Amino acid sequence: MKSAVETLEPTRVRLTVEVPYSELLPNIEHAYQHIGKDVSIPGFRKGKVPARIIDQRIGFGAVLEHAINDALPQFYREALVANEIIPLGQPEVDVTEAPVERTGDLVFTAEVDVRPEITVPEIDGLRVEVAPVDVTDEELDARIEALRHRFGSLQGVEREAAQGDYVVLDLVAKIGEEEVDSVSGISYEIGSGTMLDGLDEAVVGLGEGGTATFATSLAGGERAGEEAEVTVTVTGVKELELPELDDEFAQLASEFDTLEELKDDLRTSAAGGKVEQQAVEAREQLMTKLVESADFPVPASVVEAEVVRHLEGEDRLEDTEHREEIVPEITDALRRQFLLDVLAEQLEVKVSQEELIDFLVRMAQQYRVDPNEFVMNADRTGQVPVFVAELARNKALALALRKVEVVDTTGASVDLTPFIGSDELDAVQAAAVAAAQEAADAEDAGGLATEVAVDAAAVPHEETVDEAGDVEASVAEQAEVVVEKPKKATKAKAAKAPAPTED
């Protein structure tokens, strides 16, 4: 087979492929077999019809057409590999020549959009600035106040309700003379805005037994969105009593003995959250710098396909205004995707089986479905390679961040190792895994592994399903497996507390 490439546009090429008749013979033989199973010819059993009879009754042209249709995908893929072409979308194929009377070549062309030529900017020496980690006294005070509120207690009071109070309410909603909804004994924090518009203004100033009427739009039920007249009656007023800021509060709200220890922990926790924000900010800044420095076109047909898919998913295919809004967003997303794909190739990024399994399990938990079912659906719909590609892009950006100088706005160096790892840690982990594998091989060579396997097989046991193990078996062949462990970020402890209680 011979093939040649013609560049039609920066993002579109035409492949011309010439296939000698001899290379088409296996497909012709397969065509005879397939047709022979489907046709009924007197005197011959299905599947046993000779080729010459098929030629007489059906014609060699039909056989050749079947063979060409069967062979085109294979020859197209081989041409892509031979010419190092990365296609985007489906090709437009045109057969220009076909063998006649069992002689001559098969010649076809395939026009397809391709990933543009992308030169990734030099990463070494790049510098990005992020916000500093400093936790201000105001931020610390806000965290302490939030904790005090969570450990506060509600006390009944004999006065008119005010902002911040908790009230017990009865509500009746009417549209005209028809009562459409009612609730009794519902607790509500004035000012939270979690119920009906206008409720806050109506209850402020009302004491126990006070009543007010206001107009609002119903938030739920069969009449949601309709205007209604709501009558509210206050049956109780309570205020939130906050605990004193002392050592006793620290012991109540945390595992610490003193208030100062609790404050130090809250400050450390706040700082940890800011370090994580620094990692996110540094990642986004690096991505922006790379995109701004790499000028390349994005295939219009690929953008259009993504736009249509997006609009169909939202059932807004005819919404021209929304289309105009999302075209720039999708174009930018594709630009980033193409750039990260090239970066991943240059950095020789590999996605380990463990990383893929962890990702799939987390995705399944996010969607609240069984991990094995999630993996099976992903495999059936061809999504596993998409997940692998996305993981590779994320890893590529993390590896690139290792080569970048990250500082805060004061000029101080920022260590993102907990989030992006380091080459040194990778080397240590690789050595540990290699040593463990070597020990396992040595043990296996001594026969111990075989003995254990035989003993385990001989002992009756209940059949159990290991969730991670099943997922691993399902995806083992979907990703290029390398021996490495994903890095896990460490997070500072956060104090936990119950909601306000009533005394």
Side-chain angles (χ1 to χ4, degrees), residues 74-364:
Q74 172 194 344
F75 291 130
Y76 171 67
R77 287 192 298 267
E78 291 177 1
L80 290 176
V81 173
N83 293 278
E84 299 181 346
I85 292 174
I86 300 176
L88 301 174
Q90 296 299 317
E92 295 179 7
V93 178
D94 181 28
V95 176
T96 58
E97 293 183 29
V100 179
E101 298 299 329
R102 305 182 188 276
T103 60
D105 299 335
L106 166 66
V107 181
F108 68 91
T109 62
E111 290 189 17
V112 65
D113 288 316
V114 296
R115 192 178 72 190
E117 290 291 329
I118 300 174
T119 301
V120 178
E122 183 62 39
I123 297 174
D124 291 324
L126 280 180
R127 176 187 175 108
V128 296
E129 284 190 357
V130 296
V133 171
D134 297 337
V135 179
T136 66
D137 291 340
E138 290 77 11
E139 291 173 319
L140 181 60
D141 290 343
R143 283 179 171 251
I144 293 175
E145 280 304 300
L147 196 57
R148 287 182 72 199
H149 276 73
R150 295 182 66 184
F151 280 91
S153 59
L154 296 175
Q155 306 290 340
V157 293
E158 295 182 1
R159 60 169 174 78
E160 296 175 342
Q163 286 286 334
D165 285 341
Y166 287 77
V167 287
V168 181
L169 306 175
D170 293 342
L171 295 165
V172 177
K174 290 185 176 181
I175 296 179
E177 296 300 320
E178 179 188 0
E179 182 180 314
V180 296
D181 200 3
S182 65
V183 291
S184 298
I186 188 169
S187 181
Y188 174 67
E189 181 186 2
I190 302 177
S192 64
T194 57
M195 290 186 65
L196 298 170
D197 290 339
L199 179 61
D200 291 337
E201 294 79 1
V203 297
V204 168
L206 296 180
E208 183 176 347
T211 298
T213 301
F214 63 100
T216 189
S217 177
L218 296 179
E222 295 180 357
R223 310 294 288 270
E226 294 187 40
E227 289 296 317
E229 186 177 81
V230 177
T231 300
V232 56
T233 302
V234 176
T235 62
V237 180
K238 301 176 182 181
E239 66 180 5
L240 183 63
E241 187 176 280
L242 301 179
E244 293 293 328
L245 278 177
D246 52 24
D247 292 346
E248 185 177 345
F249 169 69
Q251 295 164 18
L252 171 68
S254 70
E255 69 270 30
F256 302 106
D257 295 325
T258 68
L259 181 61
E260 287 306 312
E261 289 176 328
L262 173 58
K263 287 183 176 180
D264 288 343
D265 183 68
L266 289 174
R267 189 182 293 275
T268 300
S269 176
K274 288 200 169 188
V275 172
E276 188 170 352
Q277 291 175 6
Q278 284 182 323
V280 174
E281 188 178 351
R283 169 192 171 96
E284 184 57 31
Q285 285 199 31
L286 175 58
M287 189 73 249
T288 300
K289 284 179 177 289
L290 293 177
V291 171
E292 290 176 347
S293 301
D295 183 23
F296 56 89
V298 178
S301 62
V302 177
V303 174
E304 175 62 17
E306 282 298 306
V307 168
V308 170
R309 185 188 63 81
H310 179 91
L311 292 175
E312 286 180 338
E314 295 183 342
D315 195 22
R316 302 173 68 178
L317 193 56
E318 304 302 324
D319 190 338
T320 56
E321 183 176 346
H322 185 50
R323 169 185 282 269
E324 292 177 359
E325 293 174 352
I326 65 172
V327 165
E329 299 173 7
I330 289 177
T331 302
D332 182 64
L334 288 169
R335 187 180 301 278
R336 289 171 172 243
Q337 176 180 309
F338 293 157
L339 184 58
L340 287 176
D341 286 340
V342 175
L343 181 63
E345 292 166 7
Q346 291 184 357
L347 296 177
E348 299 181 348
V349 170
K350 307 293 182 185
V351 174
S352 71
Q353 181 176 321
E354 182 179 1
E355 289 170 318
L356 179 59
I357 292 169
D358 181 63
F359 175 81
L360 293 174
V361 170
R362 284 188 285 108
M363 288 284 289

Side-chain angles (χ1 to χ4, degrees), residues 357 361 370-372 375 462-474:
I357 292 169
V361 170
D370 177 76
N372 294 302
V375 171
E462 288 188 1
E463 194 171 293
T464 60
V465 177
D466 180 81
E467 186 175 272
D470 283 354
V471 173
E472 181 173 344
S474 301

Side-chain angles (χ1 to χ4, degrees), residues 360 373-385 387 478:
L360 293 174
E373 180 183 346
F374 183 83
V375 171
M376 289 176 62
N377 288 334
D379 183 32
R380 184 166 54 250
T381 58
Q383 291 296 301
V384 171
F387 294 148
Q478 296 291 334

